[in-house]
Amino acid sequence: ANYFQHTPYLNSFNASNGTDLVSAALIHYEPFGIYAGKTTSLEDLPDGATIAVPNDATNEARALLLLEANGLITLSEDAGLTATVLDIEENPHNYKITELEAAQVPISLPDVDIGVINGNFAIQAGLKASDALAIEDKDSLAATTYANVLCVKEGNEQNQATLDLLESLHSDTVRTFIEDTYEGAVVPSF
């Protein structure tokens, strides 16, 4: 078993390597957050504000979905997890969406109004989930799709070793560890 990837990565790995690995269970996700730059609240975001988002396909879609969930933009109905800036249908406040390499978004905060940051990069930048102006909902499409999974070879999902490992990973002890250690930057999916 391993525990380091989300399902889209797992599916891509299987396709590229001819393997038959499957998800045995969701374990945790690392939520995206909207963090303050020059503007300290979403309510005070001025017309024409600059919003930094990651420029890679997966992370940009998640960032745009979070902006949409907070009423800042509207995406085309079918954009979903493949959304890009080209899928923005409504941007009534003429926000300037600036696409940056994901690791650069936290560094850019002093130069933009807000930035949408991956959980791992927020942690590396010393940001806490509690600092975020908004954060992905645990039940959002992105959070459930990109949750890290316990992965096993197909057919081993119900063997005793997998079930024992899953019982340990889904325990109150692990939940408490995740919550206390990561303070919302990593969230249990169980």
Side-chain angles (χ1 to χ4, degrees):
N2 72 49
Y3 161 44
F4 74 92
Q5 77 254 295
H6 49 62
T7 302
Y9 178 91
L10 175 63
N11 293 341
S12 175
F13 182 88
N14 280 335
S16 296
N17 294 286
T19 53
D20 294 312
L21 303 174
V22 296
S23 168
L26 303 177
I27 307 300
H28 83 269
Y29 82 103
E30 297 163 17
F32 269 58
I34 299 174
Y35 291 87
K38 294 186 231 178
T39 303
T40 58
S41 77
L42 295 182
E43 294 77 25
D44 294 334
L45 201 58
D47 287 350
T50 300
I51 301 172
V53 300
N55 66 357
D56 60 283
T58 299
N59 293 321
E60 181 173 30
R62 285 180 76 179
L64 294 172
L65 287 168
L66 183 56
L67 293 173
E68 181 179 51
N70 284 277
L72 302 177
I73 60 171
T74 302
L75 297 169
S76 63
E77 205 172 296
D78 61 343
L81 294 172
T82 61
T84 71
V85 293
L86 300 175
D87 293 301
I88 298 173
E89 285 194 345
E90 294 179 27
N91 183 358
H93 297 282
N94 298 310
Y95 298 133
K96 180 182 174 195
I97 309 295
T98 301
E99 301 166 290
L100 301 172
E101 197 277 324
Q104 296 302 311
V105 177
I107 297 166
S108 76
L109 286 178
D111 302 317
V112 300
D113 289 279
I114 58 174
V116 188
I117 303 174
N118 313 43
N120 59 314
F121 290 118
I123 292 170
Q124 290 172 4
L127 298 168
K128 295 183 179 183
S130 60
D131 297 331
L133 305 176
I135 201 156
E136 274 179 329
D137 183 81
K138 179 180 178 181
D139 298 320
S140 70
L141 174 62
T144 56
T145 301
Y146 293 104
N148 282 33
V149 298
L150 177 65
C151 167
V152 296
K153 184 176 178 184
E154 187 174 25
N156 289 340
E157 302 93 326
Q158 296 298 315
N159 76 24
Q160 194 59 51
T162 300
L163 295 174
D164 290 346
L165 180 56
L166 183 55
E167 183 180 350
S168 294
L169 288 171
H170 279 186
S171 69
D172 288 339
T173 301
V174 169
R175 176 187 300 281
T176 300
F177 173 81
I178 290 172
E179 292 171 348
D180 291 350
T181 303
Y182 298 104
E183 301 174 326
V186 177
V187 177
S189 295
F190 54 92

